[in-house]
Amino acid sequence: MDILERTRITPLKAGFGAQVGGVDLPKADQAQVKAVVDAFHHHGAILLRDQSMTPDDLLSFIRHFGEPEGHTLQEFTLPGYPNIFILSNKIVGGKPIGAHNDGVGWHTDYSYKAEPVMCTMLYAVEVPPEGSDTLLADCCAAWDALSPDRKAAIAGLKLHHSYAHFMRNREWGAMELSPELAAENPDVIHPLVRTHPADGRKALWVSTGTVDEVIGLPNPEGLELIDELVAWVTQEQFVYRHKWCVGDVLMWDNRCTLHTGTLYDDTKYDRLMHRLWVKGDRPF
Ligand SMILES: O=C(O)CCC(=O)C(=O)O
Ligand SMILES: [Fe+2]
């Protein structure tokens, strides 16, 4: 059987994302892994269901995409695994084991860094039977759908991103940065329209949370433009809604997507995800 027969690729939604079937990740051969990595770089997101991955399996697999990135808040990493971050509402021994509701609100990961993470992987260990979906927006389709005039008007804009601004204003766990975190996370400027290095496709790379200014466009107009563009990118026609099952591996390409978590009834249900990041390049 050739690689195409063994590895079934179907879109997550028309024109976006790829569900890859027929692959058992810890046992995958080189050709299968290459097909999975290629699908990732060209489709914006990939999903593999029914996986059974130890922390070491997750780390070996993610290395096919690049070098794992460390996490900003080390207190929520898996003991012994600084590159595996825990998203959870669970409390063990009186202490939260992970970050809860961390990704609620449209954003792209690590956008407050000069080299934001290229890829985010979530592996579902425990999922609520309802709620907690993860939504991915296709920033390339959103860019392509703009009129030529609108594209020309916004093409050269640059955004100011600030971790301090994000942490001060977020809905859950708002805080002022410690002097150490502030020193590790200076503000950065990124283009609004980002080019994908795999094939040159353009993405409308807007975000909420870390963006506090459009360079050269004073507030409130700057932030009004951001709100308008985020509303454009996150229209239903550009969004894939992922409903979680235990064993799902979902990976998205932060160079061309926005994502958000959603709430769930955390008084009734537990959620536990392992998150891994892959280092990225400076956006252009
Ligand atoms: O929990 C989720 O569904 C999304 C979390 C998120 O934004 C992230 O891990 O980067
Ligand atoms: Fe995120």
Side-chain angles (χ1 to χ4, degrees), residues 87 103 107 109 120 122 132-134 244 252 259-261 271 275:
L87 299 173
H107 66 283
D109 287 343
T120 302
L122 293 189
S132 96
D133 300 345
T134 301
W244 289 99
W252 58 83
H259 63 277
T260 179
R271 185 181 198 242
R275 181 179 78 190

Side-chain angles (χ1 to χ4, degrees), residues 118-232:
M118 187 273 280
C119 159
T120 302
M121 173 207 268
L122 293 189
Y123 172 60
V125 181
E126 275 182 73
V127 294
E130 55 187 350
S132 96
D133 300 345
T134 301
L135 277 52
L136 307 179
D138 176 359
C139 299
C140 294
W143 170 255
D144 291 344
L146 288 174
S147 71
D149 283 355
R150 194 78 185 113
K151 283 183 177 165
I154 64 173
L157 292 177
K158 294 194 180 339
L159 307 184
H160 183 260
H161 292 257
S162 160
Y163 185 58
H165 171 80
F166 168 58
M167 292 302 276
R168 188 176 300 131
N169 294 298
R170 70 181 188 165
E171 207 169 336
W172 287 274
M175 65 180 210
E176 285 299 321
L177 295 189
S178 64
E180 293 76 32
L181 273 179
E184 280 163 24
N185 297 281
D187 294 0
V188 293
I189 292 173
H190 290 312
L192 169 66
V193 182
R194 187 170 182 179
T195 307
H196 199 294
D199 52 14
R201 67 194 195 273
K202 302 275 184 204
L204 183 52
W205 203 57
V206 67
S207 188
T208 61
T210 61
V211 180
D212 64 356
E213 196 190 346
V214 179
I215 304 298
L217 196 63
N219 287 331
E221 283 96 309
L223 289 181
E224 281 163 13
L225 174 66
I226 295 299
D227 287 346
E228 177 206 316
L229 294 176
V230 169
W232 173 263

